Amino acid sequence: MNRKVWQASGHEAGFSDPLADCKKCKNRFRPDKLENPKVCPMCGGELTEPRQFNTMMKTFVGPVEGEAGLTYLRPETAQGIFINFKNIIDSFHPKLPFGLAQIGKAFRNEITPGNFIFRTREFEQMEIEYFINGSEWEKWFKYWVNEVKNWLKIIGLDEEKIYFHDIAGSERAHYSKKTIDIEYKFPFGQDELYGLAYRTDFDLKTHSEKSGVDLSYFDSETREKFIPHVIEPSMGVERTLLAILCEAYQEEKERVYLKLPFALAPYKTAVFPLLANKPQLVEKAKEVYKSVKGCFACAWDERGNIGKRYYSQDEIGTPYCITIDFQTLEDETVTIRNRDTMEQERIKINAIISYLAKNLS
Ligand code: GAP
């Protein structure tokens, strides 16, 4: 959560900073972060007087529009987790440290949506609140830096395109004692992919103060009672998807393919009869398709010619394509084609499952 030094594209949930518009290029800025609060740092144009902006989406619960029903769509999933905290400790009695995770919609009245699905007004967030004893926050913060690194490897992002940006105190959200923005080099520039924040005990303490409900944790070993602190990895689904697609997209002379990590490929394999108008080939191919489908996500395609079918599976990142041809009818072998190298091997039908299991792992 980088409170951008001067540009108003960074966003803190439910928090509105006074912003000024450039009369010429129409960009928006936080004037308190500018050297000259009257002049646009991008084009030199004149800035308007600073104004407060609504950053949360307003609506009314119930059929009658009025102050009593006034409500706001959540700008982060995090607060739902804090609200559930008491239910969880009263029902499951977990011991610290433990994490609660949620995925769901978040809404922000974003000032500058853009870059395809990078910044939108409605998006899907995945957040973990990891509850800890405050005295151990540094240890757990390091642990989560490592976990995020592991996750980035799993989704196949190039280490060289990832930056761990330690956010300076003056730019951090008011509740955070340490924040790292995990940035990715998108084709349109380097920008925030995820956030990792040490939110202290700010949220539970504030909910407790405002509601009058005790949200402290009792450690039965040390007999201590205290409000846990949290480390929060916060991730956008759309930004994850966008980074994965940017990383996987490959263009070669005649083809486009998605070099997805195998775990992320929607189909692991596809089965084709060489010719769709030869019933014997189709029948054999269907047999193979049915047996492979039981073990791996498998596509069936009999449209057009074989080359086009390969290319269309390449475009969605299917790692292996299996073709049933005339030789199959004679010796129970098929060709299996590798998405990345386009090399083909001939293997026995009864070896397909073990071949895929070995090569996809
Ligand atoms: N609970 C902390 C929090 O909400 P944030 O940095 O404002 O922090 C966390 O948002 C993550 O949510 C971002 O790193 C990004 O992945 C995603 N995100 C935030 N605003 C977004 C938007 N307008 N469109 C798409 N994703 C967004």
Side-chain angles (χ1 to χ4, degrees):
M1 183 172 303
N2 178 1
R3 304 278 302 278
K4 298 275 181 226
V5 183
W6 47 265
Q7 199 171 10
S9 56
H11 192 116
E12 185 183 329
F15 200 91
S16 161
D17 296 305
L19 301 171
D21 294 287
C22 172
K23 290 182 181 172
K24 204 164 139 200
C25 71
K26 310 294 179 207
N27 273 303
R28 260 179 200 142
F29 305 94
R30 284 182 54 186
D32 59 316
K33 298 287 182 186
L34 297 178
E35 236 170 69
N36 184 343
K38 300 267 178 218
V39 177
C40 172
M42 291 184 89
C43 73
E46 189 190 345
L47 294 181
T48 60
E49 284 303 310
R51 292 176 291 172
Q52 203 79 22
F53 280 83
N54 277 336
T55 55
M56 294 216 289
M57 297 278 193
K58 231 187 242 185
T59 188
F60 296 92
V61 174
V64 182
E65 197 171 300
E67 274 302 303
L70 175 65
T71 191
Y72 295 88
L73 301 183
R74 64 177 179 186
E76 56 171 6
T77 48
Q79 296 311 320
I81 300 179
F82 293 119
I83 297 294
N84 285 157
F85 175 78
K86 190 170 163 48
N87 265 348
I88 304 280
I89 53 167
D90 287 352
S91 326
F92 298 100
H93 313 285
K95 280 199 185 315
L96 289 185
F98 67 89
L100 301 181
Q102 279 194 6
I103 178 171
K105 288 284 180 202
F107 301 85
R108 293 184 190 175
N109 215 353
E110 284 286 3
I111 293 146
T112 51
N115 286 328
F116 189 36
I117 53 170
F118 179 80
R119 182 172 286 112
T120 51
R121 292 198 168 95
E122 176 185 346
F123 57 99
E124 194 86 14
Q125 254 191 343
M126 310 182 277
E127 294 192 301
I128 300 172
E129 301 304 329
Y130 196 70
F131 296 94
I132 55 167
N133 186 320
S135 63
E136 295 184 328
W137 78 267
E138 279 163 305
K139 173 176 116 185
W140 290 115
F141 197 92
K142 276 190 201 136
Y143 168 87
W144 278 103
V145 168
N146 231 12
E147 286 298 297
V148 173
K149 284 184 180 163
N150 289 340
W151 165 255
L152 295 169
K153 252 189 220 147
I154 291 170
I155 60 171
L157 301 191
D158 180 357
E159 243 178 281
E160 303 278 301
K161 293 189 195 151
I162 305 276
Y163 302 85
F164 281 71
H165 180 181
D166 209 329
I167 305 298
S170 58
E171 293 172 44
R172 280 199 298 265
H174 61 98
Y175 53 72
S176 170
K177 280 240 174 92
K178 184 170 177 75
T179 296
I180 287 183
D181 273 1
I182 295 98
E183 299 179 348
Y184 177 72
K185 207 169 183 181
F186 289 96
F188 48 81
Q190 185 179 318
D191 215 326
E192 179 183 336
L193 176 63
Y194 302 140
L196 179 62
Y198 167 41
R199 288 179 83 124
T200 69
D201 57 357
F202 172 80
D203 301 272
L204 284 182
K205 213 158 86 186
T206 310
H207 280 296
S208 194
E209 279 165 15
K210 304 284 178 199
S211 65
V213 176
D214 181 11
L215 294 177
S216 52
Y217 167 88
F218 179 66
D219 187 324
S220 53
E221 274 165 34
T222 62
R223 317 296 298 168
E224 261 183 292
K225 197 175 170 202
F226 57 91
I227 298 225
H229 286 222
V230 289
I231 308 291
E232 181 199 63
S234 179
M235 304 159 126
V237 171
E238 290 82 354
R239 287 190 194 179
T240 307
L241 178 66
L242 187 59
I244 290 169
L245 289 178
C246 292
E247 191 75 47
Y249 183 85
Q250 309 285 326
E251 275 181 9
E252 273 176 3
K253 268 184 217 142
E254 345 165 296
R255 68 168 187 148
V256 164
Y257 70 107
L258 276 189
K259 201 171 176 179
L260 289 172
F262 294 157
L264 300 185
Y267 287 117
K268 310 302 172 200
T269 184
V271 173
F272 319 137
L274 180 66
L275 299 169
N277 59 0
K278 298 285 175 209
Q280 275 175 300
L281 292 183
V282 175
E283 195 185 328
K284 192 73 189 166
K286 283 249 159 92
E287 213 178 275
V288 172
Y289 169 67
K290 275 188 198 145
S291 70
V292 175
K293 203 169 89 157
C295 301
F296 297 97
C298 179
W300 167 265
D301 197 356
E302 56 180 37
R303 300 163 307 151
N305 65 43
I306 195 83
K308 282 191 181 151
R309 292 182 218 154
Y310 283 145
Y311 283 175
S312 89
Q313 291 302 323
D314 287 346
E315 281 178 3
I316 59 167
T318 308
Y320 290 100
C321 290
I322 298 165
T323 301
I324 281 67
D325 56 21
F326 291 106
Q327 194 179 326
T328 313
L329 303 178
E330 286 165 21
D331 64 5
E332 291 280 307
T333 62
V334 294
T335 61
I336 188 155
R337 172 188 176 272
N338 180 305
R339 172 195 72 193
D340 301 338
T341 62
M342 292 194 288
E343 272 165 22
Q344 297 189 20
E345 278 181 69
R346 213 148 181 113
I347 62 168
K348 284 274 188 198
I349 289 177
N350 62 13
I352 294 175
I353 302 295
S354 54
Y355 180 98
L356 291 174
K358 182 172 156 231
N359 287 285
L360 290 170
S361 59

